[in-house]
Amino acid sequence: MFKKILFATTASPSCDHAARVAFDMAKRYGSELTVFHVLGIPSRGFSQFVKDVRTGETVSYNDDYLEWVKEEIKNTYAKQLKMHENCTIEALTGIPHTEILRAARKEDADLIVMGSTTREENEGTYTYRNIAGSTLQTVTKAARCPVLVIGRPAASFWGGFSDIVFGTDFSRAADSAFMFAYKVAKTLGCKLHLFHACDISGVHAGKLLEQYEIEDNLRIAREKIRKMYVPRMKGFDDYEIDVWEGIPYVEIVKYTRERSADLIVMAHHTREPSPEKALLGSTLEQVVLRATCPVASVNRPDKVIDL
Amino acid sequence: MPEGILCNKKMVDTKEQLDALLADAGGAQYYKEMKQLDVDSDALWVTIQKSLKSRLKTWLEICAHCGMCAESCFYYTANNRDPRQVPSYKIQSTLGELVKRKGKVDNTFMQVCMDTAFSKCSCCTRCGVYCPFGIDMGVMFGYLRGLLFSQGFTPWEMKIGTGMHRIYKAQMDVTTEDWLDTCEWMAEEWEEEYPGLKIPVDKENADILYTVNAREPKHYPQDIAEAAVLFHLAGENWTVPSEGWEETSLAMFAGDWAACKMQVENVYAAMDRLKPKRMVVTECGHAYRATVIEGPYWAGLKSGQPPVESFHYVEWVAEALRTGKLKIDPSKKIKEPVTYQDSCNYIRNAGLADIPREIMSYIAEDFREMTPNREHNFCCGGGGGLNGIGRYREARNIGMKVKRDQILATGAKLVIAPCHNCWDAIRDMEEIYHMGIKWSFLKPILIKMVEVPEHLKPRDEG
């Protein structure tokens, strides 16, 4: 299923939950795992100094330093590495999102696993190019393969995936997310929850929807799910359809909790790369920060077709 | 005549030499060896006699030490008007002495020269504008850097930089394969939002041959994608060369003239091979100077011009906006106060001061000029290779205060800087002095505000 997993990590505590899921998955599904770390940002033109992503200090980059960092990663994940040996450690310098995307492309990864760092926690996160946006934003938007993001302790990830929530906004990108959710559910024998949240968050702006409008929207969305997705699940009947109303990210997280689901699959295709604006705009980002299970972002069909 | 293993008079022509230099953390061994490096006075004097031509000779002789250049130098004003920072003093006490003593100088003197040439002058050539005789210390320091390089007295990063050019034909270790792969990757990644987007490689007889700064494929590949999007939206018939795509020249900063020639001839060979109508250089100042202004002389072209007509990116943008190839959505113009950083290398060296103002008139509602501006503008503080050299970081940070104050005085919240070095220097300035500003190249700003022609829009979703 996931032949090659790229685990992109800062190797700091903010990635611990992601590490647990990445190693656990690689072991369970027999995947090749690459632990990938961008250790420093070359911020001084052509100079040989880099800014260490963990400490924020300026260090002089050379082979010895690189080896030392790799050794540190080995120590950090010593326990996990003992359990799963089919694993390589790679470290290099560069702009994190660029190098993660470059590595995923080069290695033809089937899945990228990442932690999500919160914005309050400035240590270890580094918005490099003021206008381009954060690592998570850029990787989830541009990756050709699914990106699995673990924001909080993945409470239910003990026995592999069993319940998958596919949150749709009916976009073209969501189509790829659906294919991924469906194929994973089918292959791993999970129950698939097809879910849409009708956005009534306009209430804060004084825009009150009539109850019949809400109910109409719910009905329309349910119908849409039936038309768009159900015919494509030939011979697979372990699914349910639900449409709730509210603020989409809250509803997705609530619904997932209620169904004790252990994976959320969504598309992330916001066109707004500005971190300040995207913070409010991206449902996916909010879900990632709040959900207690891994969240897979899938925008493109490339890696989903062959699953 | 002891020469170090890393610090010596040899050129870096093999990967082994380059790797050895790179493995030397912070250049510690390199600078240690430099202290022992002998000066070959005879060779130095022969070089001076051969290369110090009438212009520089005259400049050295006619300098009246009037001090009119003092106020023109940002290092002088940023360092509390330290008399040792007066440009004429700086050059007379280094190159002037070197010539006077017919090359009979010692190691200490050469190191003083190196420190002065790299930490007290960014070769911004502003002093030349204010000298009553038109003496240009920036040009003379460029010449001095060449003499120093020939004797092995060049900063560690500069030695690495020229090695990169000699081995990879790029300022970074980007191979042809890396470059082509990056172009393919970027076209794939952005194709979804801009259907039909291509990055054509080695297309013959194209209208535009586009060339870049190696840092783009290495660290900011999206810059190439953004250029592709804008060419695509403007309907340009363009291409990038598979070889000869790199415009920059750290060799020029270092004074490794042989590597300068190699680098620029590589670009010119691409022009000869692909026969484009014209060439456009990315948003980089020194790259433009190296390839379009100085390059023809290094390559020995009698016309003093590159093989095909060559433009800086700002010229292409201005033309595209002027002729309507790119249309700006008026509602998306920049509303916040914005200012523009004139890059020394294409303002003073190529006279492109009006072009950016024209661009700003199309894209900004509240454009604020720095004072002074255009050819009178100050260097960002990171020019002449200063951004990359660890040994002179502190000196550079002090120098940047002038630009910081200029920017703050405009009240602008955004600085547009179509030059990699300026962009870097302003970013560093923000990191050091916390000014609360943003900075950007032109491309991402334009992409946000250009109208996408109907036939180039992605199909409706859902």
Side-chain angles (χ1 to χ4, degrees), chain B residues 107-180:
Chain B
N107 179 299
T108 316
F109 180 82
M110 290 299 265
Q111 286 203 58
V112 169
C113 285
M114 180 182 86
D115 290 345
T116 310
F118 285 92
S119 76
K120 293 181 179 174
C121 179
S122 67
C123 303
C124 76
T125 69
R126 190 171 188 266
C127 48
V129 179
Y130 293 91
C131 172
F133 297 123
I135 301 172
D136 194 326
M137 261 60 76
V139 169
M140 291 165 107
F141 267 115
Y143 173 73
L144 176 62
R145 287 178 178 200
L147 294 179
L148 292 166
F149 184 84
S150 70
Q151 293 286 319
F153 290 89
T154 198
W156 175 61
E157 291 90 346
M158 284 295 156
K159 189 92 177 182
I160 293 171
T162 62
M164 291 283 186
H165 279 291
R166 284 167 174 272
I167 295 161
Y168 295 98
K169 299 275 189 297
Q171 63 161 295
M172 288 173 160
D173 54 353
V174 181
T175 61
T176 305
E177 198 189 359
D178 294 338
W179 160 246
L180 294 176

Side-chain angles (χ1 to χ4, degrees), chain A residues 68 70-81 89:
Chain A
W68 179 77
K70 281 189 180 176
E71 206 47 48
E72 278 290 289
I73 297 173
K74 260 186 213 161
N75 292 336
T76 308
Y77 299 125
K79 234 169 148 182
Q80 288 96 326
L81 284 166
I89 293 174

Side-chain angles (χ1 to χ4, degrees), chain B residues 217-442:
Chain B
K218 181 87 178 178
H219 296 309
Y220 327 126
Q222 66 273 25
D223 200 291
I224 300 162
E226 287 161 355
V229 167
L230 291 166
F231 284 142
H232 173 67
L233 297 181
E236 293 284 12
N237 169 20
W238 70 292
T239 189
V240 294
S242 57
E243 300 277 354
W245 50 269
E246 155 74 311
E247 288 285 334
T248 69
S249 185
L250 296 187
M252 174 175 79
F253 290 153
D256 179 357
W257 309 120
C260 286
K261 186 173 185 321
M262 281 164 68
Q263 179 62 49
V264 79
E265 280 179 344
N266 203 34
V267 180
Y268 293 170
M271 292 179 179
D272 290 339
R273 192 173 77 245
L274 301 172
K275 299 179 183 58
K277 291 203 180 60
R278 53 185 184 158
M279 194 265 291
V280 173
V281 185
T282 188
E283 297 179 62
C284 185
H286 95 271
Y288 179 84
R289 178 173 168 189
T291 311
V292 182
I293 307 294
E294 312 266 0
Y297 300 101
W298 297 333
L301 300 182
K302 292 229 161 52
S303 62
Q305 298 292 328
V308 303
E309 205 183 352
S310 299
F311 291 74
H312 188 272
Y313 199 74
V314 292
E315 294 183 274
W316 179 77
V317 171
E319 179 200 277
L321 293 171
R322 192 188 309 136
T323 57
K325 280 182 190 170
L326 288 178
K327 285 195 187 69
I328 299 291
D329 177 343
S331 69
K332 291 184 181 159
K333 280 182 161 191
I334 308 167
K335 308 266 184 310
E336 60 189 344
V338 53
T339 187
Y340 183 88
Q341 163 60 11
D342 286 303
S343 151
C344 304
N345 279 320
Y346 63 81
I347 302 288
R348 263 192 294 280
N349 276 294
L352 299 183
D354 288 337
I355 296 284
R357 271 80 203 166
E358 186 185 347
I359 297 173
M360 297 314 284
S361 75
Y362 301 124
I363 65 171
E365 286 185 359
D366 185 3
F367 172 56
R368 301 184 181 183
E369 287 278 14
M370 287 184 205
T371 315
N373 54 54
R374 298 174 181 245
E375 59 274 23
H376 298 285
N377 199 26
F378 284 106
C379 170
C380 57
L386 268 287
N387 277 342
I389 307 172
R391 185 172 163 117
Y392 307 125
R393 172 89 38 232
E394 260 319 297
R396 182 205 66 151
N397 291 352
I398 293 169
M400 285 193 315
K401 285 181 182 168
V402 173
K403 183 54 62 190
R404 174 198 65 182
D405 295 344
Q406 261 192 300
I407 292 171
L408 288 176
T410 64
K413 294 285 162 236
L414 174 68
V415 186
I416 295 183
C419 167
H420 274 269
N421 269 335
C422 298
W423 190 98
D424 265 355
I426 295 167
R427 194 261 325 275
D428 289 355
M429 210 180 285
E430 175 62 34
E431 247 179 55
I432 298 161
Y433 298 115
H434 309 291
M435 306 147 67
I437 50 150
K438 287 182 182 171
W439 58 97
S440 178
F441 287 111
L442 276 168

Side-chain angles (χ1 to χ4, degrees), chain A residues 42-49 51 60-64 93-95 97-99 101-102 105-106 126 128-132 138 141-144 170-173 228 269-274 276-277 299-301, chain B residues 22-26 156-158 160 171-172 181-182 184-185 188-189 192-193 215 217-223 250 385 387-390 393 414 423-424 427-428 431 437-441 444 448 458-459 461-462:
Chain A
S43 61
R44 306 291 175 241
F46 50 86
S47 99
Q48 302 307 312
F49 294 100
K51 186 167 194 156
S60 170
Y61 172 76
N62 59 19
D63 286 349
D64 288 345
T93 57
I95 318 288
H97 61 74
T98 302
E99 296 313 320
L101 288 166
R102 204 196 303 261
R105 184 181 141 88
K106 205 170 110 201
Y126 191 71
Y128 175 72
R129 197 173 183 178
N130 205 12
I131 298 195
T138 316
K141 182 168 180 282
R144 312 295 292 184
F170 305 112
S171 62
R172 192 167 47 155
M228 277 178 86
H269 55 102
T270 170
R271 277 159 200 260
E272 180 50 70
S274 157
E276 301 103 71
K277 287 180 192 160
N299 300 345
R300 293 185 167 78
Chain B
L22 287 167
D24 179 24
W156 175 61
E157 291 90 346
M158 284 295 156
I160 293 171
Q171 63 161 295
M172 288 173 160
D181 192 56
T182 305
E184 198 185 306
W185 168 28
E188 275 174 21
E189 194 175 298
E192 200 163 322
E193 279 186 52
R215 293 171 55 201
K218 181 87 178 178
H219 296 309
Y220 327 126
Q222 66 273 25
D223 200 291
L250 296 187
N387 277 342
I389 307 172
R393 172 89 38 232
L414 174 68
W423 190 98
D424 265 355
R427 194 261 325 275
D428 289 355
E431 247 179 55
I437 50 150
K438 287 182 182 171
W439 58 97
S440 178
F441 287 111
K448 277 191 190 164
R459 279 187 301 114
E461 292 184 350

Side-chain angles (χ1 to χ4, degrees), chain A residues 14-52:
Chain A
S14 61
C15 287
D16 281 357
H17 309 307
R20 189 160 68 94
V21 173
F23 279 98
D24 211 11
M25 270 183 76
K27 193 179 173 204
R28 186 176 302 277
Y29 304 121
S31 326
E32 271 176 48
L33 181 70
T34 305
V35 177
F36 186 78
H37 175 65
V38 179
L39 60 99
I41 297 158
S43 61
R44 306 291 175 241
F46 50 86
S47 99
Q48 302 307 312
F49 294 100
V50 297
K51 186 167 194 156
D52 189 290

